Amino acid sequence: QPAAAPEQGGKLPADFAWGTATAAYQIEGGWNADGRGPSLWDYFSHRYPNNVNGGKNVTYDFKTGLGGGSDYLEHNADEADLSYYYWKNDIDLIKKLGAPSYRFSMSWTRLFPDGHARRAADGKWNVNPKGLKYYDSLVNALIEADITPFVTMVHWDLPMNLHSEYGGWLGYQMQDDFKNYAHFLFEHFGDRVKHWITFNEPWVSCFLGFQINSKAPWRYGPPNNATEDPLSGPSYEIGPTQYTPESKVLPANRPQQPLEALWCSHNLLNAHAKAQQVYRTHFAAQNALVGLTVDGEMSVPWQEPNTTAEQLASNTHYADLANIFRISWYADPLVYGDYPPEIKERVGSDMPVFTEEQKALLKGSVDFLGWNAYTGHWAEQARSANGSYIPPSTTKSYATAQVDIWHDNCRGRDASYNCLPPRIGAQGGSSWLIKYPKAIRVGLNWLWNRYSGNIPHGLYITENGASQPNAKVAAPNDTVTADFWAALGENPADYLYGPDEIESEFNVTSLVDDTFRQKFFADYLEQVRLTVTVDGIPLKGYFAWSLMDNFEWEDGYTTRFGMSYVNFTDPERVRHPKGTFSAVSSWFAANKAYGSKAPIPTIASPS
Ligand code: PNW
């Protein structure tokens, strides 16, 4: 079979925004410094340290980040990269990269320790002055360095006090508490910040926090110690008013919990719409863009050489459904003012309903849409353990809808099951991360196909990146032959990592000389270039995750996504650029059109 002619395209446009991304809780440290209040992550990682990375007894070798050493790290981000103290080093690093933009998040509780932003009679806000000084210094220094700030308002670190008062996202009160916080941010930083992202990955906050139970607030209790129950502990009670005024329901018992993720999403979407309304009413003259970032996996119809047209059509239908449940659950209301018809039809009366007033506020409430692109999955109709297809359910509820839409690629299946479809690409260093560069192109096309013309300022990749696989990650055991990949026009060498290759790639040096990650970025960035220059999708910017190794949520410090290496026992947390750092910098120098200004400074070799 002849190889397809290479697609050419050209360079990314001169105004294409690129840079790296970070999040406050993952890098700042200084968790209680200068009056900062606790967020969900501070509270739950302290109270239930077993929630993060398997618990207190796990020790590491710090040089490699692997288990089995004799070192021990607290499983929280009390210190992390100490960016609260060493933020100037972060800016130097971004300058060295030559990136024109930087995406970071502000910690709500550093500004308003109890979460309530209020204005006194004299017009003054009850803001924590030292927290404010931190972000003023950061924003001002970025602007001085000619780096455009993209600011995320909430990257999962909700004020713990709001969770105690009314269940955080379960309470309709969150809508106004967030609106007030956003009002303050617009008012204070609006002269300098022109790109706002209200929320990072609502699906993760709501579904992982309130249903799948892998992230704060771990609503079903600590996963590694079932005897501890955050719902009945002495220092943590959810307040009496939950859900929305319409639902009037207090979830006193567990059976009602499966719908909490839906109500979390509902309140969060309304909160976004209210913040955008505040912006357009009071601050439009500042000329900023207000968007939101959705997450993270793209489902692709399962296809093999002998897939029939009929089967492919069915697989495409299920891939679409999976993407609608993951992405359009949020993007449809923000763009079109209501939940997708495909979801409402399947979830039936379990689905929260927007009032007409809420619909009007939601419609057109994103100026741009951010997407965190990491991974892809084959999708098809759900199958049972013996491999036969499960017919769509006839009852309409959230529980049955979940079964109907669920696709698989061996994840979550019984190990004895002979896995088909095989995984879509090489396993990265996080269980959920499978390298599939085309996901980014397929996904951006999918998004623009559904929303084109209704998102005035286009799309941004607000995160893309990889954790380097290490010896802890099993090599793929799927039987995927070279013929299989060749028929799909793929090179198996790009996908298959045998155990030997992983072992030899992973040694201490590879933490800095990170070949897997370099290849990952090269392959995804090529797809970004084709998406913009061949497909004509209005992708306006791209942010690599992440500037440096940091606290990787429930994986603690064992999983590294950084383009710079950080030793977390080093009191100064020196940032050492990895191979990826210069590779990404050079890629943009070669593939983006620049004006007269020299884009890329010389990058010192890693120390
Ligand atoms: C992102 N998925 O989350 C977060 O925004 C970052 O804070 C985090 O460090 C980074 O990914 C790496 O984990 C994701 O299931 C969560 O595809 C889930 C997915 C992707 C990204």
Side-chain angles (χ1 to χ4, degrees):
Q1 184 172 328
E7 290 175 279
Q8 289 306 309
K11 291 190 176 191
L12 295 170
D15 63 354
F16 190 84
W18 72 275
T20 64
T22 59
Y25 185 68
Q26 294 180 272
I27 67 165
E28 284 181 3
W31 78 280
N32 60 358
D34 299 335
R36 182 180 178 278
S39 74
L40 290 182
W41 278 87
D42 297 295
Y43 180 87
F44 285 104
S45 63
H46 289 156
R47 181 154 178 202
Y48 302 120
N50 289 351
N51 284 8
V52 176
N53 191 37
K56 282 215 166 244
N57 299 325
V58 176
T59 53
Y60 310 91
D61 175 72
F62 280 134
K63 284 211 189 85
T64 63
L66 293 177
S70 55
D71 298 307
Y72 169 74
L73 264 188
E74 282 295 331
H75 299 282
N76 55 51
D78 287 3
E79 297 189 347
D81 294 284
L82 294 172
S83 281
Y84 186 63
Y85 305 98
Y86 297 121
W87 57 273
K88 285 185 184 156
N89 297 350
D90 297 347
I91 293 182
D92 288 345
L93 206 55
I94 301 163
K95 283 195 208 164
K96 205 183 248 190
L97 188 68
S101 323
Y102 176 50
R103 173 181 177 235
F104 64 97
S105 81
M106 290 186 179
S107 157
W108 187 335
T109 55
R110 206 177 279 296
L111 294 167
F112 300 96
D114 70 358
H116 297 295
R118 289 194 194 91
R119 206 201 279 275
D122 62 0
K124 289 221 173 69
W125 292 87
N126 59 333
V127 64
N128 172 22
K130 288 188 174 162
L132 187 60
K133 183 166 172 256
Y134 173 67
Y135 292 118
D136 268 332
S137 310
L138 181 64
V139 167
N140 293 345
L142 285 167
I143 289 182
E144 210 167 290
D146 212 5
I147 298 163
T148 305
F150 281 65
V151 177
T152 311
M153 296 177 172
V154 184
H155 195 118
W156 305 347
D157 50 352
L158 215 66
M160 182 57 200
N161 182 52
L162 302 185
H163 196 73
S164 306
E165 280 188 20
Y166 48 74
W169 283 121
L170 301 183
Y172 65 89
Q173 299 94 322
M174 266 305 296
Q175 299 176 27
D176 284 338
D177 272 316
F178 175 74
K179 181 185 80 174
N180 297 338
Y181 167 59
H183 191 128
F184 171 81
L185 296 182
F186 294 143
E187 185 175 306
H188 185 81
F189 295 102
D191 56 335
R192 291 155 288 162
V193 175
K194 304 296 178 186
H195 296 83
W196 295 103
I197 295 163
T198 52
F199 300 113
N200 182 68
E201 300 187 353
W203 183 89
V204 169
S205 300
C206 293
F207 285 84
L208 298 189
F210 290 90
Q211 178 185 309
I212 294 168
N213 210 44
S214 55
K215 285 194 159 64
W218 284 283
R219 182 64 167 138
Y220 284 82
N224 294 305
N225 184 347
T227 59
E228 293 178 291
D229 184 354
L231 296 178
S232 59
S235 54
Y236 170 68
E237 297 289 340
I238 279 190
T241 323
Q242 298 188 17
Y243 293 174
T244 67
E246 302 97 272
S247 79
K248 300 185 200 74
V249 176
L250 173 68
N253 52 39
R254 292 293 170 88
Q256 290 179 6
Q257 286 190 355
L259 298 185
E260 288 187 349
L262 282 61
W263 286 98
C264 166
S265 305
H266 200 66
N267 286 323
L268 186 151
L269 285 162
N270 284 321
H272 168 92
K274 287 188 173 190
Q276 175 64 283
Q277 186 196 29
V278 164
Y279 192 82
R280 289 178 180 165
T281 310
H282 300 287
F283 302 106
Q286 291 175 349
N287 262 319
L289 304 178
V290 180
L292 177 145
T293 282
V294 293
D295 85 281
E297 325 186 310
M298 188 41 54
S299 292
V300 181
W302 158 238
Q303 195 178 1
E304 58 187 325
N306 58 5
T307 301
T308 63
E310 191 194 3
Q311 197 56 53
L312 182 60
S314 164
N315 295 351
T316 303
H317 169 78
Y318 283 95
D320 279 347
L321 276 180
N323 291 327
I324 287 165
F325 269 72
R326 179 64 75 93
I327 291 172
S328 306
W329 191 301
Y330 303 94
D332 266 33
L334 298 169
V335 173
Y336 297 124
D338 201 0
Y339 291 117
E342 297 90 338
I343 294 182
K344 290 202 288 188
E345 198 230 307
R346 286 169 177 77
V347 175
S349 60
D350 283 345
M351 198 67 198
V353 176
F354 292 117
T355 65
E356 291 308 313
E357 195 190 341
Q358 289 168 335
K359 286 182 189 173
L361 274 193
L362 278 160
K363 188 175 177 184
S365 65
V366 277
D367 299 317
F368 65 89
L369 189 67
W371 181 44
N372 290 348
Y374 285 91
T375 192
H377 297 292
W378 294 125
E380 60 167 357
Q381 185 174 350
R383 297 197 204 205
S384 62
N386 68 11
S388 59
Y389 289 113
I390 299 170
S393 159
T394 48
T395 50
K396 305 296 176 197
S397 70
Y398 178 57
T400 54
Q402 279 185 292
V403 174
D404 284 355
I405 59 113
W406 209 233
H407 59 90
D408 220 321
N409 66 335
C410 302
R411 293 201 313 170
R413 279 193 188 163
D414 191 291
S416 64
Y417 179 65
N418 180 22
C419 214
L420 258 180
R423 84 188 61 205
I424 201 167
Q427 176 73 59
S430 310
S431 60
W432 53 269
L433 196 145
I434 295 165
K435 181 187 165 193
Y436 185 65
K438 284 181 185 164
I440 209 165
R441 186 175 183 185
V442 171
L444 288 165
N445 274 275
W446 189 90
L447 285 170
W448 201 242
N449 186 38
R450 193 166 174 104
Y451 302 113
S452 83
N454 296 288
I455 303 178
H457 295 273
L459 307 173
Y460 285 83
I461 294 292
T462 37
E463 290 177 27
N464 170 232
S467 44
Q468 179 100 352
N470 59 41
K472 287 191 304 180
V473 178
N477 53 12
D478 312 333
T479 349
V480 181
T481 64
D483 289 353
F484 170 88
W485 290 112
L488 291 176
E490 301 281 1
N491 175 8
D494 290 343
Y495 292 88
L496 300 176
Y497 283 73
D500 294 347
E501 191 167 355
I502 288 175
E503 290 291 354
S504 65
E505 266 194 41
F506 195 85
N507 49 49
V508 176
T509 323
S510 79
L511 287 170
V512 173
D513 186 12
D514 55 343
T515 51
F516 175 89
R517 190 181 286 104
Q518 288 174 46
K519 183 90 168 66
F520 182 101
F521 274 107
D523 293 350
Y524 276 68
L525 281 168
E526 175 61 4
Q527 296 296 319
V528 165
R529 194 183 66 79
L530 295 173
T531 306
V532 176
T533 63
V534 175
D535 305 341
I537 303 296
L539 179 72
K540 302 297 186 185
Y542 169 95
F543 294 85
W545 185 270
S546 179
L547 180 63
M548 57 198 165
D549 292 336
N550 56 48
F551 179 80
E552 178 52 20
W553 307 109
E554 70 271 24
D555 283 349
Y557 295 99
T558 59
T559 305
R560 295 167 179 274
F561 274 84
M563 301 208 300
S564 306
Y565 168 74
V566 176
N567 172 351
F568 293 99
T569 58
D570 168 6
E572 291 178 25
R573 303 297 199 276
V574 175
R575 291 91 160 103
H576 305 275
K578 302 178 188 178
T580 296
F581 192 91
S582 49
V584 168
S585 181
S586 314
W587 190 91
F588 277 100
N591 289 288
K592 176 176 146 53
Y594 284 92
S596 52
K597 214 174 113 196
I600 304 299
T602 314
I603 294 167
S605 52
S607 43

